[in-house]
Amino acid sequence: MIEIKNIHKQFGIHHVLKGINLTVRKGEVVTIIGPSGSGKTTFLRCLNLLERPDEGVISLQDKVINCSYPSKKDIYWLRKQTAMVFQQYHLFAHKTVIENVMEGLTIARKMRKQDAYAVAENELIKVGLQDKLNVYPSQLSGGQKQRVGIARALAIHPDVLLFDEPTAALDPELVGEVLEVMLEIVKTGATMIVVTHEMEFAKRVSDQVVFMDEGVIVEQGTPEEVFRYTKKERTRQFLRRVSPEYLYEPKEFIKEPVI
């Protein structure tokens, strides 16, 4: 379980995160939705201290990290337990596909190259790139690059997988191939926190859906609670804009079926 308490982050006078609290149980998939500028990506980056929160606590595996004053050891430990899949891939252009996946294993995990190669090859097979091991990122489509990024994250066997809008940079026709890979990961019981604008994906895979706006969690619950029985008007406004099928059904007006 990962527990996040009272996370604050400011950039100058801009208060981006205003006391975020979230608990994610082992094996859960939590999707975070919301408008641009709501703090979703900043929050995700705070979870492995790519962004240093100004205040707050992260607890994982019974280890408690004070985000205001994390030690180098704490930062290194947390990043070993989490893996990020970035919106813009962040692949090394001068390295082959398999070398990109091996990098974290040989550098951070100090794994022998032959062992790292075997692990990387296995993960690339899982994401359907067994025929692309020795090509360079410039020779790949956007969807293939993102699948390399997913394989790289999976290779280190993290406790928590973090996805930052993994389909946002893709052409619409390539989105499906990445979502299918992510659906397969969900089936393995991985713990995942996903910032996404794919509403149907969020409905399909989530144990919890979190709606953020202006640096706070406005609403959270199961997909049914957030997408059907929405409690907050701000959430309804957002869903009306981004989900044409959105239909608000207040529970008090739902009629029981006639038998």
Side-chain angles (χ1 to χ4, degrees), residues 86-247:
F86 298 92
Q87 186 180 139
Q88 298 293 342
Y89 325 129
H90 289 198
L91 302 179
F92 295 107
H94 64 289
K95 292 182 179 291
T96 64
V97 163
I98 197 160
E99 287 171 342
N100 267 280
V101 179
M102 290 171 60
E103 185 78 5
L105 298 172
T106 57
I107 302 301
R109 298 297 173 94
K110 309 300 182 185
M111 191 179 287
R112 293 187 306 168
K113 282 192 175 182
Q114 64 192 55
D115 295 332
Y117 188 98
V119 172
E121 182 179 28
N122 185 54
E123 297 302 340
L124 286 165
I125 290 170
K126 288 180 184 178
V127 300
L129 292 175
Q130 59 270 18
D131 59 338
K132 302 292 184 183
L133 303 186
N134 298 309
V135 306
Y136 290 88
S138 61
Q139 299 169 275
L140 301 177
S141 69
Q144 290 169 334
K145 290 176 185 176
Q146 193 58 285
R147 283 188 278 155
V148 175
I150 292 172
R152 178 178 57 190
L154 291 173
I156 65 171
H157 298 123
D159 285 342
V160 184
L161 281 162
L162 308 172
F163 292 81
D164 181 19
E165 299 201 26
T167 61
L170 301 178
D171 292 334
E173 63 183 12
L174 300 176
V175 168
E177 68 183 67
V178 172
L179 293 181
E180 284 302 316
V181 168
M182 293 177 66
L183 286 170
E184 290 302 312
I185 298 170
V186 170
K187 292 176 185 177
T188 69
T191 306
M192 299 165 59
I193 304 176
V194 185
V195 171
T196 185
H197 61 276
E198 299 289 342
M199 297 300 120
E200 290 305 314
F201 177 77
K203 290 179 193 177
R204 185 174 176 184
V205 306
S206 302
D207 295 292
Q208 295 186 65
V209 178
V210 173
F211 172 65
M212 285 184 63
D213 190 32
E214 297 185 352
V216 299
I217 292 177
V218 175
E219 187 162 355
Q220 69 184 98
T222 64
E224 185 176 43
E225 288 169 338
V226 172
F227 286 104
R228 187 176 179 188
Y229 302 127
T230 322
K231 297 182 179 70
K232 303 291 186 178
E233 179 57 30
R234 179 64 188 96
T235 316
R236 293 183 206 124
Q237 291 171 357
F238 173 77
L239 291 174
R240 288 188 192 109
R241 289 203 307 270
V242 302
S243 184
E245 295 81 18
Y246 172 66
L247 179 63

Side-chain angles (χ1 to χ4, degrees), residues 8 12 25 32 42-43 65 77 87 120 123 130 173 222 235 250:
H8 287 260
R25 295 174 181 84
I32 303 176
T42 299
F43 173 59
I65 296 175
W77 181 87
Q87 186 180 139
E123 297 302 340
Q130 59 270 18
E173 63 183 12
T222 64
T235 316

Side-chain angles (χ1 to χ4, degrees), residues 17-40:
L17 300 176
K18 305 170 184 175
I20 302 293
N21 297 288
L22 183 65
T23 298
V24 182
R25 295 174 181 84
K26 184 176 176 61
E28 276 194 330
V29 178
V30 175
T31 53
I32 303 176
I33 63 174
S36 297
S38 59
K40 307 184 301 297

Side-chain angles (χ1 to χ4, degrees), residues 1-5 21-24 57-60 63:
M1 181 178 75
I2 181 169
E3 189 171 10
I4 300 106
K5 294 182 179 178
N21 297 288
L22 183 65
T23 298
V24 182
V57 171
I58 296 174
S59 302
L60 178 63
K63 185 178 179 68

